[in-house]
Amino acid sequence: MAGRKKTAEVAVPVNGTDVVPVGRGGAFVAHIVGHLAGKALPYAAPWAGAATLPPLAGFATNTMWGDAPLSAGLASAALAVGGAALTGIAWKTTPAATKFGRFRRAQVSASVAAGMGWLTTATAAGPFGSPVLDAWLIGGALFAASWNVRQIVRSGASGDTEETNGGMAALAAAIGWEKVTVKSPKGTGRGTVKAGIEVAPSTTVDEVQATAGKVAAALQLPPSGVVITKDPEDASRGTISLRVADLLKDGVPFAPPVAMGLLPTEDIPLGLYADGEVWTINPFTAAILQHLLVMGVTGAGKSEMLRGLIAHLATRRKLSIFLIDLAKGRQTVGHIADGLDWLIQDAKEAKRMLRALPAAIKVRGDVLASEGLDQWTPDSSLNAVVVWIEEAADVADFQELEETARKARSVGIWLCISLQRATWTNLSTDIRANLQGVMCFGVNEASDAGFALPDRVTAAGAIPDWGSDRPGYAYSTGMGIPQERWTTEVRSGLTDRDELAALVQAGAAYRDPLDRATAEALGQAYAQRAHKGTNRTTPGVPAAPLPGDSTHDDFEDDEHMTAAEQAAQEEIQDVADEVLGAIPDDPEPDAPYASLDLEDDVPDLDDDEDGGLAFAAPAPVGTEEARHILYTELDTWVQAGRLEFEPADLIPATLAAQRKRPWMQGELKRLADQGLIQRDGHGSYTILHSPLQPA
């Protein structure tokens, strides 16, 4: 035993995949023999059939009918007619959607015809006489060899991959893809089957895309389960993707940040693709910042996605979030409002913010230029800014919004607009052209998706026309998403209110306050904002209150107010109505001054009318003093929180300055040119900065 030489075992690959240990005994030899037998069996079957079936069939028919000339002739005639019919059936029923399919049809038909012809002859003359026997030996060998050649080509030994998979070939024939070659269908293992397609010169991939509905119907898939995309480098080729299993139907868990204090340029995970890959966006690393359009009907999942997005952004550095939601602000983001630097739920305040943005864009551009940057990067002293607007058409002027969208991208302001339908009636084509990132959730009509998604996406069959039936499902483009993923369904993560609230509260220690340059450029609109988010580094802003803190009631629903609080508010309103109602009308409606306007001179009064009293003329007011009177009036409004006014509101100050309307209008134009006020489209003005406290 001690002198026995041990036999080493070596791992030997078989067919490139199987690994078999080699050692003493015949296990390895048996495995090899079995493997070769399995590989040879498909090639042996045609030879076995050619060697046994013809002689047996010929011997049987010759024995039955060959002895009598009449019966032999009638049997031969019947076999000839039956052979012709069987050959025709073989020709018609064999799929021939590709070049290889046409070869297969010809081979099957020829094999049937040759076999039936030989059997007809063998019935009358006998199978074992010459030349019938010779024909069987030669023809049978050629028949078996031809099917071996076909088997080799089909298995890819020739390197030719044009042959379609049997199932896909049958599908192609069923839907009329005679001019389409389906190549190498392959399952991804994640509920999707993909295959290459190639069209003949007489057709186009666009025509194939138009048949996506037929494919879905033939395979009993949902309409969005079939996507056909073009090859950007070859117009004759494309890819078909079949989603045969929905991996997202049970919901997608919310993916929390991988770390706190990330920069805005890190990926933002929002959910999963239909094939299980993580759906991420990264708008701030794109060569050009792509503003976002979010579209979908009520209940399609837009708010769920928004909450997950805010939760991620609220844990990052060098980032500030402004959000306008006049309809559902508290309901949607009330539990995570501390992560928002500016939450707006009042239409007047929303207009203030949008009117202040152009000045902030200009200042940010100047800062970036002084820092030697062509566009915003984390190296800048400025924060990245997210401006999210729900139903923008209700709060913004088209021209104003288009200018903001066009100029904001280079200065690190990401504009996001969410609405149910982005039609030309509520979103101009100019604004739409600047919203190059898209999240299109469920819509009611397939045509609605065309308002948001690029044409090449909808043409491929990526149309979310499921309304609110599949909340959270969407198609998304731009914002750093690879183009080949634009036609793959996504689903946003399901969020938990308490989890997000805790996450935003923890992020307070990492959130940076809005940079000083932007804050000052936004002027009074920002300084007097109704809501101020919390972070641990903002001077003068209290820390995020703990859950249950009595001060944390800014964003509780109205129904949470106590009965006493509601009664107090109603009493205050009653008192206000009573006071305003007690103010009398003009006591002298028929007096000479009743219709006096600024452009008119003060009428001369008779001595009898003034009782013989004489008044000294007031001292003239100089230009600077007159301006100071006007500016003081504006500054008083700012200190009181009033930022909107109309020219008529300045009549008392204009009279006090001993001036008329043309002077006041000139001063308003002067203030607007200085960027201290802004005129809107309806003749009113918004105060951006107090004239006595310019930025």
Side-chain angles (χ1 to χ4, degrees):
M1 295 291 293
R4 179 177 297 176
K5 184 177 180 180
K6 294 183 179 180
T7 304
E9 293 189 352
V10 182
V12 177
V14 178
N15 195 28
T17 56
D18 300 331
V19 178
V20 180
V22 179
R24 290 188 304 110
F28 173 66
V29 175
H31 181 88
I32 290 296
V33 171
H35 176 79
L36 294 177
K39 290 294 185 180
L41 184 60
Y43 298 97
W47 292 93
T52 58
L53 294 179
L56 291 176
F59 177 77
T61 56
N62 180 258
T63 301
M64 294 175 64
W65 300 301
D67 292 340
L70 179 60
S71 61
L74 292 176
S76 297
L79 288 172
V81 173
L86 191 59
T87 301
I89 292 174
W91 177 271
K92 287 292 187 181
T93 57
T94 303
T98 65
K99 292 180 180 179
F100 197 87
R102 290 190 287 274
F103 164 75
R104 178 176 53 195
R105 180 171 63 182
Q107 183 186 27
V108 170
S109 302
S111 298
V112 172
M116 291 303 297
W118 184 89
L119 183 61
T120 300
T121 303
T123 299
F128 302 117
S130 182
V132 179
L133 179 62
D134 300 331
W136 164 53
L137 294 175
I138 297 173
L142 291 175
F143 161 82
S146 70
W147 283 90
N148 283 170
V149 170
R150 177 183 177 276
Q151 182 72 17
I152 292 172
V153 173
R154 179 177 180 180
S155 64
S158 67
D160 186 356
T161 60
E162 287 193 356
E163 206 276 326
T164 64
N165 177 275
M168 293 297 292
L171 172 65
I175 61 177
W177 281 6
E178 290 82 4
K179 299 180 180 180
V180 180
T181 302
V182 183
K183 298 183 174 184
S184 305
K186 191 176 186 180
T188 63
R190 294 180 174 178
T192 303
V193 175
K194 292 187 177 182
I197 59 173
E198 184 174 341
V199 298
S202 58
T203 189
T204 65
V205 177
D206 298 88
E207 297 176 52
V208 180
Q209 288 179 326
T211 65
K214 293 182 179 180
V215 179
L219 297 176
Q220 299 181 347
L221 297 176
S224 61
V226 177
V227 175
I228 303 171
T229 55
K230 299 178 182 179
D231 186 331
E233 298 181 356
D234 189 339
S236 69
R237 296 177 182 270
T239 301
I240 180 171
S241 176
L242 309 175
R243 182 176 53 75
V244 297
D246 188 354
L247 304 182
L248 311 179
K249 64 180 180 179
D250 294 328
V252 174
F254 170 73
V258 296
M260 305 292 280
L262 297 175
L263 289 170
T265 49
E266 298 289 338
D267 287 348
I268 306 170
L270 294 179
L272 295 178
Y273 284 98
D275 58 8
E277 292 293 331
V278 179
W279 169 35
T280 64
I281 63 172
N282 200 331
F284 289 104
T285 57
I288 298 178
L289 180 61
Q290 295 177 322
H291 299 314
L292 173 63
L293 171 62
V294 180
M295 195 177 85
V297 300
T298 300
K302 304 189 301 295
S303 297
E304 187 84 61
M305 181 280 302
L306 173 61
R307 286 190 285 266
L309 175 62
I310 290 177
H312 275 277
L313 299 180
T315 64
R316 301 197 170 195
R317 297 181 291 124
K318 295 186 72 68
L319 183 71
S320 299
I321 311 169
F322 304 164
L323 189 146
I324 299 175
D325 189 347
L326 307 185
K328 301 189 305 178
R330 297 180 182 180
Q331 178 183 354
T332 302
V333 297
H335 55 299
I336 53 176
D338 285 335
L340 304 175
D341 192 46
W342 194 354
L343 173 60
I344 300 174
Q345 298 177 263
D346 175 72
K348 185 178 294 185
E349 187 177 6
K351 292 182 182 296
R352 292 179 184 175
M353 189 262 273
L354 293 175
R355 291 170 186 165
L357 277 178
I361 291 172
K362 182 180 183 303
V363 168
R364 288 172 66 90
D366 293 340
V367 171
L368 291 174
S370 67
E371 294 174 342
L373 298 173
D374 294 329
Q375 62 182 20
W376 181 89
T377 72
D379 295 331
S380 172
S381 62
L382 304 175
N383 276 17
V385 177
V386 178
V387 178
W388 189 282
I389 308 174
E390 290 285 337
E391 298 299 336
D394 296 339
V395 297
D397 176 79
F398 275 173
Q399 182 176 356
E400 184 179 71
L401 197 58
E402 188 275 330
E403 181 180 359
T404 299
R406 179 167 43 85
K407 296 180 178 179
R409 65 178 73 253
S410 64
V411 298
I413 296 179
W414 186 32
L415 181 64
C416 306
I417 293 177
S418 175
L419 68 172
Q420 295 188 29
R421 292 181 75 234
T423 65
W424 64 270
T425 58
N426 60 7
L427 195 69
S428 72
T429 54
D430 290 336
I431 299 174
R432 176 64 191 87
N434 282 283
L435 303 176
Q436 296 174 319
V438 173
M439 296 180 191
C440 189
F441 291 80
V443 295
N444 286 329
E445 301 293 338
S447 58
D448 291 347
F451 293 125
L453 293 168
D455 291 342
R456 62 180 177 273
V457 174
T458 55
I463 301 174
D465 56 348
W466 50 72
S468 59
D469 294 338
R470 305 173 72 203
Y473 285 82
Y475 289 102
S476 187
T477 68
M479 302 173 292
I481 300 173
Q483 289 196 19
E484 61 269 19
R485 304 297 279 169
W486 290 7
T487 55
T488 304
E489 284 181 2
V490 298
R491 187 173 187 183
S492 61
L494 299 174
T495 61
D496 177 80
R497 294 177 67 90
D498 294 337
E499 178 185 359
L500 295 191
L503 187 62
V504 170
Q505 183 177 358
Y510 301 88
R511 289 193 295 272
D512 292 320
L514 181 63
D515 57 274
R516 184 177 299 276
T518 304
E520 292 179 351
L522 291 171
Q524 299 300 325
Y526 181 76
Q528 297 185 8
R529 64 195 187 279
H531 164 79
K532 297 178 174 63
T534 62
N535 60 64
R536 305 302 180 186
T537 57
T538 304
V541 177
L546 297 174
D549 190 335
S550 60
T551 63
H552 189 57
D553 59 358
D554 288 345
F555 296 96
E556 294 296 324
D557 293 335
D558 291 339
E559 56 266 24
H560 291 173
M561 294 177 61
T562 65
E565 290 173 329
Q566 292 180 351
Q569 286 193 357
E570 292 174 358
E571 183 178 354
I572 292 172
Q573 185 62 44
D574 291 341
V575 172
D577 294 341
E578 181 179 353
V579 172
L580 293 175
I583 298 176
D585 295 331
D586 188 346
E588 299 179 278
D590 299 325
Y593 61 82
S595 59
L596 185 64
D597 201 357
L598 283 175
E599 289 87 348
D600 302 327
D601 294 328
V602 178
D604 295 331
L605 299 177
D606 295 335
D607 291 341
D608 292 340
E609 293 179 343
D610 60 16
L613 297 176
F615 297 93
V621 178
T623 301
E624 292 303 320
E625 184 180 355
R627 287 176 176 169
H628 184 76
I629 293 173
L630 188 69
Y631 295 174
T632 299
E633 182 76 0
L634 295 175
D635 183 69
T636 300
W637 291 346
V638 169
Q639 301 305 320
R642 176 184 177 183
L643 300 182
E644 289 80 20
F645 69 92
E646 295 181 356
D649 298 335
L650 289 173
I651 289 178
T654 303
L655 291 175
Q658 300 179 10
R659 299 296 193 272
K660 296 184 178 181
R661 182 180 293 272
W663 176 84
M664 178 185 67
Q665 292 175 336
E667 287 301 310
L668 292 179
K669 183 178 184 304
R670 181 170 176 270
L671 292 173
D673 292 341
Q674 293 176 355
L676 300 178
I677 64 174
Q678 179 176 321
R679 187 178 187 275
D680 67 17
H682 306 285
S684 61
Y685 289 81
T686 298
I687 304 174
L688 303 180
H689 297 275
S690 168
L692 297 184
Q693 301 173 4

